[in-house]
């Protein structure tokens, strides 16, 4: 069905148009005859038909369409028939003019009219079509709009539902009202809040649930919202619930507009703030309370600040006072020590002069009193230092064993003639060098051990030193001082460490003492992070004092192992009535690689020696204690030397607890060597080496007719002494004399100058003349410190001045300068070292210290005592 | 029927359709699907939202205020419209792969489907004063069977295209001959699988069939009329294809010629307004 192809070109529609056209044409040219012709035979006409033969019809139709314009043809009866296509209507119009004009103008006129009519008709049709089109278009668009509107409504409803759903689910109340503020909508929460049902509340006027004042407030708020269009929030008012209870409410209100944008009502959120309000009130009350408290606190603060200011002031005052005290102490110390120096020094020297017994007695007493006084002064000074917190602990390298032996040495004179053995036991792993304060360590040990002779009549006083603990780079030394004295009652064991306390006031009278010594010990031990305590059962059962302190390890960690090669393998016989001593000695010797046999009785010595000799294992040396019950050491020696056996030539070494005067006696008795107890390992071995190497000579020569002088620890040093030149700088004539005497007596060469200036002059004039300078600190013109500085400057200039040739010579240009000072306050030592001094000794100068210092700085370089710490 | 199922199965496995389309299909029929579910689907394709909003804000919907989110879009144009938009977006890609331009072009087919859907919507709204979403959906999907054939029975399909002659009758007959099944049936099966409304299913099924009885305002009727108008406006599905118009529809058109003429006149305008909707953007 070809109809389908172009529905839009429908004939029924078109026919109407054609007829219309014909009507128009007929109106204008009533006499013409019109007919639409087409190729399928349909002829549309009004009134008369044209009666066209087929042939002509087809020809006209074809030609008109082809030409797209006017064509004509002759009918058989001579009538001209015209044809013109009307494209828009898809048709061809045929027509015949009336009267058949032959006039071309008339023909033209006739055909033109037809053409014009057609054109007019077509344009009118276009307008009509357009109109129809517009109308239809409008109709269709209206339908579309309608559809969209429905859609829109649906969407709105869905949105509304969704919206309502949300509103229903919130905790707060939600409301909508009309412009008269009557409720139009409320959610569940609001209903619950109010106590009314939804139905009850709908349309309810607000006066029903709020009081007069609130109504006014709310009315104003809604009014404002209406006028300005802006939302308000935070409106607080009181809601009167159904049951009469009142609730604090907070509301927001905003203007609702309809689809046209006109205000149509109000809406907002309603929140129950009763709880919050109550909390606010409570908070407010609490705040008021807090304010009052705050004011009180402010006042207290002010008072506190004032108190702090005052305290600070007091602190400053205290510090000033402290400084004044320290200064006083320093001055006093110097003032007191200087005359003490003289008293003691000269007392010492007087002892060496020729005195009768009475004089000797008196001098001894002067000396003792002087020493007592000095020790008291020192104690007081130390004590006040401690009080002022000014005592501090050095960190220098020293040998603890040396200190221990030194302390024992110091104690020995106090024993006098009592039958007491002094034992010294040093632990094997005690290192040869630790870091700490040797002075304070010595002081503590001296204080602890120094009491023992006082309270012991007979028996032993043993000092043992061992390592208690090691941690990292520090170690804890523990010293134990055991005596067999009167002991200390248990209840006094801690009291004795408090200052100025003795165990018993009667003791002070009998034994003397200031009562400060032990408390100082305690402080020292505390400063070393250790402790001091005593153990005793009292009643003559003796006591043990303990001291512990932490010291630093040094790089030389190895405990000494003195293994004298020369002595290795030698066999020694040791004799002592004191088993402890014997044990210590055996231990020491065996550690040194020697074979040891021991005896406790003098009688057994000779038989033992004999036996050994016969067996073929003779002893190489016999070490013998002097003070023994039964047969004394002297007697033993005499017997051996007088014997006829081979053993008579055995080297003998005497050990004595007593003073050095015995050395002569021993020599006479036939001993080759003499050592006082307690013995230092090194000294022992050195002595033994010396004896055993000399011993060979003795045997070859004719016995002991050639007297070899007995080797004592001091004689080991004697050789060196005579060549030492000392420069002494001291302004006080008394001290000058004292020092010079002391030094000359000891065998040194001394030159004295009066002040620093003279010292510089003397030294720089011929530096090579002197080996050591003793420099007093307080001198007129140029004092000790300044003099040292100047000397050092001079020395370094000298070094740099000379050329390379002389460098070697002068590189050693540095004379040891030792300060002699009465000042022992904090920082003194450092100050001395800073200025260029090498060492210092405190006044009043003591012989031993002086000699030690000399030994250290002069003889030390040449000393045969190797293994000593430098 | 079994043949259709087989092909469909093959097609589903071939993953030709973008995931969005597949997920969406499950949702379309559900009246209660929420905007949230829709948003989840959209999230599968990140740029989809942007494209959707571009369409929503284009002159096609003529909204006064710019819409910035899908949720707002729903508030203005409704869920169904939005769904249709998403389907369009999703299918655009599938239809775009062009092969054998002379014999069969997917992009030409797409243009045809877009035209039919837009025209169908116009007819539903402007002629019959009813909602046009279903007509739109049917229009977009009515020839999808061809894509399926092209995808999973490619050689046969091409052969069919080559040998089709418009004079010999409807293309569906020719398909049945060569392939064993026609695209209308396949499309119908897919619509069933997706649980689209029965009206839409029928519309797809009979779009090439001359029916003795068919209501012009039904989806089937509207689609056939739309096909007719569209083919005369220069958007054939394939070159030289023959369009069917059931007799009742012909009569109706003739009786309301002015309406349809007006509509046909407005159609190109509408097509250009909807460019954003169906036009495949390059790049």
């Amino acid at each position: 069905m070809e109809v389908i192809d172009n529905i839009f070109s429908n004939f029924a529609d078109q026919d109407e148009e054609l007829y219309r056209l014909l009507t128009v044409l007929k109106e204008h040219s009533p006499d013409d005859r019109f007919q639409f012709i087409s190729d399928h035979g349909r002829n549309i006409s009004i009134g008369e038909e044209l009666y066209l033969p087929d042939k002509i019809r087809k020809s006209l139709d074809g030609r008109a369409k082809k030409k797209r314009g006017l064509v004509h043809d002759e009918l058989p009866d001579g009538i001209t028939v015209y044809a013109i296509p009307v494209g828009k209507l898809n048709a061809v119009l045929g027509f015949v003019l009336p009267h058949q004009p032959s006039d071309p103008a008339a023909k033209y006129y006739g055909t033109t009219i037809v053409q014009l009519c057609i054109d007019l008709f077509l344009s009118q049709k276009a307008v009509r079509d357009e109109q129809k089109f517009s109308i239809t278009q409008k109709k269709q668009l209206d339908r579309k709009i309608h559809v969209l509107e429905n859609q829109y409504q649906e969407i709105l409803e869905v949105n509304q539902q969704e919206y309502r759903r949300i509103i229903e689910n919130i905790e707060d109340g939600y409301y909508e009202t009309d412009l008269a503020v009557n409720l139009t909508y409320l959610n569940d929460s609001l209903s619950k809040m109010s106590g009314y049902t939804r139905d009850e509340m709908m349309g309810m006027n607000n006066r029903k649930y709020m009081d007069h004042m609130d109504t006014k407030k709310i009315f104003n708020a809604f009014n404002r919202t209406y006028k300005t269009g802006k939302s308000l929030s935070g409106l607080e008012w009181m809601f009167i619930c159904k049951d009469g209870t009142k609730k604090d409410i907070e509301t927001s209100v905003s203007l609702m507009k309809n689809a046209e944008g006109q205000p149509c009502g109000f809406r907002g959120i309603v929140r129950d703030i009763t709880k919050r309000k109550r909390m606010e009130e409570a908070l407010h009350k609490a705040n008021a309370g807090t304010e009052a408290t705050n004011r009180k606190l402010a006042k207290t603060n002010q008072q506190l600040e004032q108190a702090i200011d005052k305290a600070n002031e007091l602190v400053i005052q205290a510090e000033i006072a402290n400084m004044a005290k320290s200064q006083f102490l320093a001055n006093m110390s110097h003032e007191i020590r200087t005359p003490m120096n003289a008293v003691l020094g000269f007392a010492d020297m007087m002892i060496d002069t020729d005195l009768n017994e009475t004089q000797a007695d008196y001098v001894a007493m002067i000396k003792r009193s002087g020493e007592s006084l000095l020790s008291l002064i020192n104690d007081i000074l130390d004590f006040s230092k401690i009080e002022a917190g000014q005592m501090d602990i050095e960190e220098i390298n020293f040998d603890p064993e040396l200190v221990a032996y030194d302390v024992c040495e110091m104690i020995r004179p106090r024993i006098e003639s009592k039958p007491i053995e002094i034992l010294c036991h040093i632990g094997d792993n005690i290192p040869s060098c630790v870091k700490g304060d040797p002075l304070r360590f010595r002081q503590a040990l001296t204080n602890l051990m120094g009491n023992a002779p006082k309270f012991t009549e007979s028996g032993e006083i043993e000092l043992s030193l061992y390592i208690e603990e090691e941690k990292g780079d520090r170690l804890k030394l523990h010293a134990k001082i055991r005596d067999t004295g009167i002991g200390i009652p248990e209840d006094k064991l801690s009291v004795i460490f408090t200052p100025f306390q003795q165990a018993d006031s009667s003791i002070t009278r009998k034994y003397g003492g200031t009562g400060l010594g032990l408390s100082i010990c305690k402080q020292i031990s505390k400063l070393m992070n250790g402790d001091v305590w005593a153990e005793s059962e009292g009643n003559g059962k003796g006591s043990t004092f303990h001291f512990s302190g932490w010291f630093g390890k040094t790089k030389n960690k190895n405990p000494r192992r003195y293994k004298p090669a020369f002595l290795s393998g030698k066999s020694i016989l040791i004799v002592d009535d004191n088993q402890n001593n014997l044990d210590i000695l055996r231990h020491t010797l065996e550690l040194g690689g020697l074979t040891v046999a021991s005896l406790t009785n003098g009688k057994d010595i000779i038989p033992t020696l004999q036996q050994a000799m016969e067996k073929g294992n003779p002893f190489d040396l016999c070490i013998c204690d002097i003070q023994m019950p039964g047969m004394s050491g002297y007697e033993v020696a005499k017997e051996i030397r007088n014997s006829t056996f081979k053993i008579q030539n055995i080297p003998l070494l005497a050990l004595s607890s007593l003073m050095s005067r015995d050395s002569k006696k021993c020599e006479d008795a036939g001993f080759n060597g003499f050592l006082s107890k307690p013995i230092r390992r090194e000294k022992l071995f050195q002595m033994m080496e010396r004896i055993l190497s000399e011993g060979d000579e003795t045997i070859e020569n004719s016995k002991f007719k050639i007297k070899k002088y007995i080797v004592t620890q001091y004689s080991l040093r004697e050789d060196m002494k005579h060549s030492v030149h000392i420069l002494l700088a001291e302004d006080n004539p008394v001290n000058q004399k004292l020092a010079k005497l002391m030094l000359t007596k000891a065998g040194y060469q001394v030159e004295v100058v009066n002040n620093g200036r003279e010292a510089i002059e003397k030294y720089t004039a011929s530096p090579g003349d002197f080996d050591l300078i003793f420099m007093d600190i307080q001198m007129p013109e140029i004092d000790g410190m300044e003099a040292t500085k100047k000397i050092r400057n001079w020395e370094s200039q000298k070094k740099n001045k000379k050329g390379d040739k002389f460098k070697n010579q002068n590189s050693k240009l540095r004379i040891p300068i030792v300060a002699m000072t009465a000042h022992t306050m904090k920082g003194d030592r450092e100050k001395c070292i800073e200025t260029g001094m090498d060492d210092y000794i405190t006044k009043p100068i003591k012989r031993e210290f002086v000699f030690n210092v000399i030994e250290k700085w002069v003889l030390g370089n040449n000393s045969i005592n190797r293994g000593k710490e430098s | 029927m079994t043949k259709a199922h087989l092909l469909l199965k093959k097609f589903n496995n071939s993953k030709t359709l973008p995931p969005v389309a597949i997920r969406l299909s499950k949702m379309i029929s559900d009246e209660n699907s929420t905007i949230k579910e829709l948003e989840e689907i959209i999230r599968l394709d990140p740029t989809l939202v942007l494209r959707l909003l571009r369409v929503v804000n284009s002159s096609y919907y003529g909204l006064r205020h710019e819409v910035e989110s899908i949720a707002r879009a729903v508030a203005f144009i409704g869920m169904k419209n939005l769904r249709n938009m998403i389907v369009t977006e999703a299918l655009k890609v599938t239809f775009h792969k062009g092969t054998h331009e002379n014999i069969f072009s997917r992009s030409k087919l797409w243009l045809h489907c877009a035209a039919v859907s837009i025209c169908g919507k116009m007819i539903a709204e402007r002629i019959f004063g009813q909602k046009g979403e279903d007509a739109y959906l049917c229009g977009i999907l009515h020839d999808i069977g061809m894509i399926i054939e092209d995808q999973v029975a490619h050689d046969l399909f091409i052969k069919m295209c080559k040998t089709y002659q418009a004079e010999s009758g409807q293309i569906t007959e020719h398909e049945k001959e060569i392939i064993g099944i026609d695209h209308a049936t396949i499309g119908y099966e897919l619509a069933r699988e997706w649980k689209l409304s029965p009206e839409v299913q029928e519309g797809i099924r009979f779009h090439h069939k001359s029916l003795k009885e068919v209501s012009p305002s039904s989806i089937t009727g509207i689609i056939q009329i739309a096909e007719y108008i569209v083919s005369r406006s220069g958007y054939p599905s394939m070159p030289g294809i023959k369009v069917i118009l059931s007799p009742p529809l012909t009569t109706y058109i003739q009786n309301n010629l002015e309406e349809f003429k007006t509509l046909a006149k407005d159609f190109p305008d509408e097509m250009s307004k909807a460019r954003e909707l169906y036009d495949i953007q390059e790049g």
Side-chain angles (χ1 to χ4, degrees), chain A residues 769-805:
Chain A
D769 276 355
F770 299 102
D771 297 298
L772 181 91
I773 303 179
F774 277 112
M775 187 83 80
D776 183 24
I777 299 293
Q778 273 149 318
M779 290 188 287
E781 287 192 58
I782 299 179
D783 70 36
M785 304 268 220
E786 223 192 298
T788 311
K789 262 196 225 158
K790 288 210 154 95
I791 288 173
R792 292 298 181 219
N793 277 341
W794 179 87
E795 278 174 342
S796 62
Q797 272 172 21
K798 259 284 173 136
K799 263 192 252 176
N800 296 331
K801 240 194 210 166
K802 304 273 180 169
D804 286 40
K805 262 198 282 173

Side-chain angles (χ1 to χ4, degrees), chain A residues 157-175:
Chain A
E157 260 169 46
V158 167
N159 285 351
Q160 190 83 309
Q161 271 170 29
E162 191 61 26
Y163 177 63
R164 282 279 147 85
R165 200 171 57 81
I166 294 169
I167 293 290
E168 281 304 324
N169 282 334
I170 61 173
E171 221 178 281
D172 289 331
Y174 172 82
Y175 71 90

Side-chain angles (χ1 to χ4, degrees), chain A residues 72-131:
Chain A
H72 64 88
D73 209 341
E74 287 260 340
L75 283 176
D77 51 3
I79 294 173
T80 318
V81 58
Y82 296 92
I84 190 166
V86 185
K88 289 242 159 78
L89 297 176
N90 229 352
V92 174
L93 178 70
F95 63 93
V96 170
L97 292 172
H99 313 310
Q100 294 294 305
S102 50
D103 185 0
K107 274 194 217 163
Y108 181 69
Y109 176 70
T111 54
T112 312
I113 288 188
V114 172
Q115 206 140 344
L116 284 174
C117 281
I118 293 170
D119 287 343
L120 177 66
F121 177 79
L122 285 177
S123 62
Q124 278 180 340
K125 174 172 158 37
V127 172
R128 270 200 313 259
D129 280 348
E130 203 59 43
Q131 275 178 344

Side-chain angles (χ1 to χ4, degrees), chain B residues 135-199:
Chain B
Y136 181 95
L137 188 64
C138 189
I140 278 287
L141 292 172
H142 78 279
D143 272 340
I144 200 165
M146 281 203 177
I147 300 294
I148 295 171
E149 283 171 350
D150 182 39
Q151 187 72 29
V152 301
H154 185 73
D155 297 326
L156 283 174
F157 180 69
I158 296 299
K159 183 178 174 194
M160 185 280 297
C161 294
K162 278 193 181 145
T163 52
Y164 172 63
Q165 280 163 348
E167 305 83 56
S168 49
Q170 282 297 297
I171 191 167
T172 41
E173 301 306 318
H174 188 64
E175 283 176 74
K176 276 199 236 178
E177 259 180 57
I178 308 288
I179 305 172
I181 188 89
D182 67 275
H183 72 274
T185 318
I186 298 173
Y188 163 69
E189 284 300 323
L190 184 67
R192 269 183 71 194
E193 202 176 276
W194 286 6
K195 295 193 175 48
L196 304 183
S197 77
E199 289 237 316

